[in-house]
Amino acid sequence: MLHVKNLTFSYNKTPVLKSISFDAKPGEHVAIIGESGSGKSTLLKVLYGEYDLDKGEILWNKQKVLGPKYNLVVGYDFMKYVAQEFDLMPFITVAENIGKFLSRFYPEEKERRTAELLEVVELTQFANIKVKTLSGGQKQRVALARALAKQPEIILLDEPFSHIDNFKKQSLRRSVFKYLKEKNITCIVATHDKEDVLGFADRMIVLNENKIAVNDVPETLYKNPKTPLIASFFGEFNIINDKIIYAHQLQVVEKSDLIVTVKQSYFKGHYYLIEADFNGEQVFFEYNKQATEGSVLHLEIVE
Ligand code: ADP
Ligand code: MG
């Protein structure tokens, strides 16, 4: 169990994290979200023991996580961290990078483990390729596999799929998060991608103004976003009569009092996102067809 109590941290004198407290159970998947610069990466680095805290405490079970002032070598065996900028060994192969920290006294086990992880990150065909020839996204996957090689109890992932193209992202995300659940590895994932959260995270922590704004189950936050910041993470939304209404909650009907004039249609795949004007205010809604500029439509809120 990860136990974060009243954590406060600043770079020099600028406070970045103030009184952060939360827990993560074994095998739990906690997503850390927040705008760029809100302190997501800093929080992961601090959890890893890369910096000394101003105040507070980090515990993994009974073990205190200490910063460099109290710990000669940063990090612990039970915890792994995959940064946004991954440092791999460029002149050796993918498989060698992954197996680097596995004991060479058990060559069969080392081989089995490396093969298993190559499969998790979908790089089996690249096993014998030198890392320096890989793309950014492929390197990111090697870094992930390497962090899992000596199975940690908790893993900290900083935007783990940010360099990976959309063709691969979906299946890779399923594969990695499924693996972590199966092995009961706690994971703390900093992300700005809602696809990393919905369908995977057990809890979602929103960082805002140096603090935890909310910590709740993603489904609860999605269904009842208390603030525009939370709603904006999930998608396009409107504020109508002081209520947050997602674009998909507005439906075109024959007749209503919510009469809008279409300004623009954006093709989104199975629907169009329509930008319209309602008494001088911008309104977004989803529609199953394109709407021509200037046309007048009636909308209804569906909850
Ligand atoms: P996020 O990952 O949410 O984008 P960061 O944790 O990277 O946010 O940054 C949080 C704040 O801390 C930002 O204002 C950033 O400029 C600042 N910051 C990040 N790293 C350092 C550093 N090494 N030294 C000083 N300030 C930093
Ligand atoms: Mg970051």
Side-chain angles (χ1 to χ4, degrees):
M1 169 103 139
L2 176 72
H3 201 52
V4 179
K5 257 197 301 204
N6 216 12
L7 181 160
T8 298
F9 173 76
S10 43
Y11 290 108
N12 306 318
K13 288 269 159 340
T14 327
V16 178
L17 302 166
K18 280 189 202 160
S19 306
I20 303 288
S21 297
F22 71 96
D23 289 338
K25 298 190 203 92
E28 201 169 28
H29 178 155
V30 178
I32 310 285
I33 72 143
E35 292 175 313
S36 179
S38 60
K40 303 182 293 295
S41 297
T42 302
L43 177 57
L44 292 194
K45 286 178 189 166
V46 167
L47 292 179
Y48 188 58
E50 210 166 299
Y51 297 113
D52 295 300
L53 306 180
D54 298 353
K55 260 195 260 161
E57 190 173 50
I58 302 160
L59 288 164
W60 177 251
N61 301 324
K62 294 263 148 60
Q63 168 89 55
K64 219 169 160 168
V65 176
L66 299 170
K69 220 188 266 176
Y70 308 94
N71 201 11
L72 202 55
V73 182
V74 170
Y76 296 85
D77 278 347
F78 57 82
M79 187 187 273
K80 280 286 166 353
Y81 163 63
V82 184
Q84 270 170 301
E85 51 297 313
F86 19 87
D87 60 314
L88 297 167
M89 280 160 258
F91 301 107
I92 61 174
T93 68
V94 169
E96 286 163 342
N97 262 279
I98 295 171
K100 183 91 184 115
F101 302 107
L102 296 176
S103 172
R104 61 196 164 81
F105 296 111
Y106 302 96
E108 273 170 30
E109 172 59 15
K110 182 170 171 172
E111 203 171 304
R112 190 199 61 76
R113 186 92 186 107
T114 304
E116 179 188 32
L117 291 168
L118 280 167
E119 220 155 279
V120 172
V121 297
E122 302 176 353
L123 279 180
T124 306
Q125 300 141 270
F126 295 89
N128 300 314
I129 305 271
K130 286 207 171 65
V131 159
K132 72 174 163 85
T133 65
L134 299 180
S135 71
Q138 289 165 333
K139 284 182 188 152
Q140 192 168 31
R141 283 143 66 192
V142 178
L144 252 174
R146 193 183 54 174
L148 292 169
K150 265 186 162 178
Q151 192 170 306
E153 294 169 44
I154 171 167
I155 192 164
L156 312 171
L157 303 174
D158 200 348
E159 317 235 352
F161 310 110
S162 57
H163 296 263
I164 293 155
D165 59 65
N166 282 331
F167 299 106
K168 268 256 153 265
K169 212 182 261 192
Q170 316 286 354
S171 86
L172 189 68
R173 196 184 266 133
R174 280 192 294 269
S175 165
V176 170
F177 289 148
K178 183 163 158 254
Y179 179 86
L180 295 175
K181 269 279 172 223
E182 272 169 17
K183 304 285 177 179
N184 208 34
I185 300 169
T186 303
C187 76
I188 315 288
V189 185
T191 183
H192 59 250
D193 189 345
K194 70 172 188 290
E195 300 292 329
D196 285 341
V197 178
L198 295 175
F200 299 109
D202 300 306
R203 300 195 73 80
M204 169 173 146
I205 290 177
V206 183
L207 290 183
N208 188 38
E209 293 175 350
N210 314 112
K211 294 205 171 105
I212 293 185
V214 278
N215 173 359
D216 211 330
V217 177
E219 199 170 328
T220 308
L221 294 177
Y222 175 81
K223 287 187 176 148
N224 188 13
K226 293 244 159 57
T227 62
L229 176 74
I230 299 168
S232 66
F233 179 72
F234 293 117
E236 221 63 69
F237 70 96
N238 309 285
I239 296 178
I240 300 174
N241 297 333
D242 290 333
K243 274 187 76 182
I244 289 172
I245 309 287
Y246 289 113
H248 72 262
Q249 292 178 299
L250 287 177
Q251 204 173 52
V252 176
V253 291
E254 275 293 301
K255 213 148 191 53
S256 76
D257 296 334
L258 189 53
I259 303 168
V260 302
T261 310
V262 173
K263 285 166 79 178
Q264 187 130 22
S265 298
Y266 302 92
F267 178 60
K268 290 284 187 182
H270 66 283
Y271 67 94
Y272 284 84
L273 179 71
I274 315 288
E275 182 189 333
D277 179 273
F278 172 64
N279 297 337
E281 289 202 42
Q282 195 180 40
V283 171
F284 286 100
F285 60 97
E286 293 182 7
Y287 197 26
N288 59 11
K289 50 187 181 235
Q290 197 166 9
T292 36
E293 193 192 332
S295 60
V296 172
L297 292 170
H298 294 235
L299 303 177
E300 198 171 77
I301 297 169
V302 283
E303 311 252 347

